[in-house]
Amino acid sequence: MNLTVDQLHEARRAMDDPLFADLAGDAQVSFEFFPPKNEKMEATLWESVKTLEPLGPRFVSVTYGAGGSTRERTHATVRRITQETPLRAAAHLTCVDASKAEIEEVIGDYWDAGVRHIVALRGDPPRKGDTFEPFQPHPEGYASAAELVEGIKAFKPFEVSVAAYPEVHPEADCPQSDLDNLKRKLDAGATRAITQFFFSAENFFRFRDEAAAAGIDAEIVPGILPVSNVATTRRIAGMCGATIPDWMNRLFEGLDELPAARQLIAATVAAELCRKLYAGGVREFHFYTLNRAELSYAICHLLGMRPHTQDDSP
């Protein structure tokens, strides 16, 4: 019997070793949360924090809403994580609608609360429908994330992370100018870049190579979003320049009323992406948890990570 090329390809796939067999568990992870809006959401958040805590993440970050809309809730969440858990909390901070003096007051409060890590972002202005207003810097504020990083580092020796865009920031006029902006942020004192979510390992590897060719040698951590709601993800992706592949759209078809099935598929897709990244040498991952622990925990488990015991170092 003569097999077609496609059949030979499938036969080889069937004989491959299991994707997640006996991984070394040498990955390092961080998790992102958003500040809760009500008591029910707060209970879900803290259940997720406690579930993921034993995995020993490098840090956990807390987001800042568009236009600074969650400023107080972000501060409260970061303070509680710092005071009530052994986790290292990283606070998101943006330039939007804040003077340099106001930002200095915020980061001073964080420093006094024991926070030593800031995720510095230019930030998005308030949104109208599904679109953002053009960014306008505060007259007495910072005009860019690079300026914000420089200001933070001049004030206190924070560890600073910044954002990167494997598929190019939607406001950038070309990939090179986007890379130039990333380099400015890192040259201003940032320690690492965390990418916007993406769904193609090839996109990340290409971006990593282009960054290296541009003289960027800082750590670039892939941001992983396990997709459980395609419609919501599609809306967010449209605003941040991320591409949802056609095959992913088809994969979730017919599952609107089957949330458990969506969860299983979401974990499978994200885990496969992480495994491809792992095969390409990636050992650091940042998970956008959407305040739910299950998917991120499952993927970490597949990557060989196990809960730390009391005898383990954090």
Side-chain angles (χ1 to χ4, degrees), residues 136-193:
Q136 294 292 334
H138 188 285
E140 299 175 0
Y142 296 107
S144 68
E147 287 188 11
L148 177 60
V149 172
E150 188 173 9
I152 292 169
K153 297 296 287 187
F155 181 69
K156 291 288 184 181
F158 280 97
E159 179 179 353
V160 180
S161 297
V162 294
Y165 295 83
E167 297 177 86
V168 185
H169 191 283
E171 294 180 26
D173 54 17
C174 68
Q176 186 58 51
S177 67
D178 200 32
L179 275 176
D180 291 344
N181 186 51
L182 174 59
K183 191 170 190 305
R184 282 192 292 271
K185 293 187 285 188
L186 294 165
D187 289 347
T191 303
R192 72 178 59 78

Side-chain angles (χ1 to χ4, degrees), residues 39-144:
E39 289 185 5
K40 182 178 179 181
M41 293 175 68
E42 185 166 4
T44 299
L45 166 63
W46 290 105
E47 181 180 346
S48 296
V49 168
K50 298 308 289 186
T51 298
L52 295 169
E53 179 185 313
L55 294 176
R58 293 199 292 173
F59 61 88
V60 297
S61 65
V62 182
T63 63
Y64 211 64
S69 56
T70 66
R71 185 173 300 168
E72 293 307 316
R73 287 187 282 121
T74 296
H75 295 177
T77 303
V78 170
R79 284 194 295 269
R80 184 174 174 188
I81 290 173
T82 300
Q83 294 168 1
E84 299 183 17
T85 80
L87 299 172
R88 296 177 60 235
H92 285 220
L93 186 64
T94 76
C95 306
V96 178
D97 289 339
S99 67
K100 293 179 181 179
E102 289 171 328
I103 287 175
E104 187 172 300
E105 181 180 357
V106 169
I107 60 178
D109 288 344
Y110 279 137
W111 187 268
D112 292 342
V115 177
R116 295 294 183 268
H117 188 173
I118 299 288
V119 179
L121 310 164
R122 188 203 70 181
D124 296 313
R127 192 168 65 197
K128 285 189 175 181
D130 286 340
T131 60
F132 288 104
E133 296 276 316
F135 175 77
Q136 294 292 334
H138 188 285
E140 299 175 0
Y142 296 107
S144 68

Side-chain angles (χ1 to χ4, degrees), residues 199-219:
F199 300 106
S200 164
E202 290 76 13
N203 280 346
F204 176 81
F205 293 137
R206 171 193 50 75
F207 177 72
R208 188 176 63 179
D209 291 346
E210 291 172 352
I216 295 171
D217 58 6
E219 176 187 5

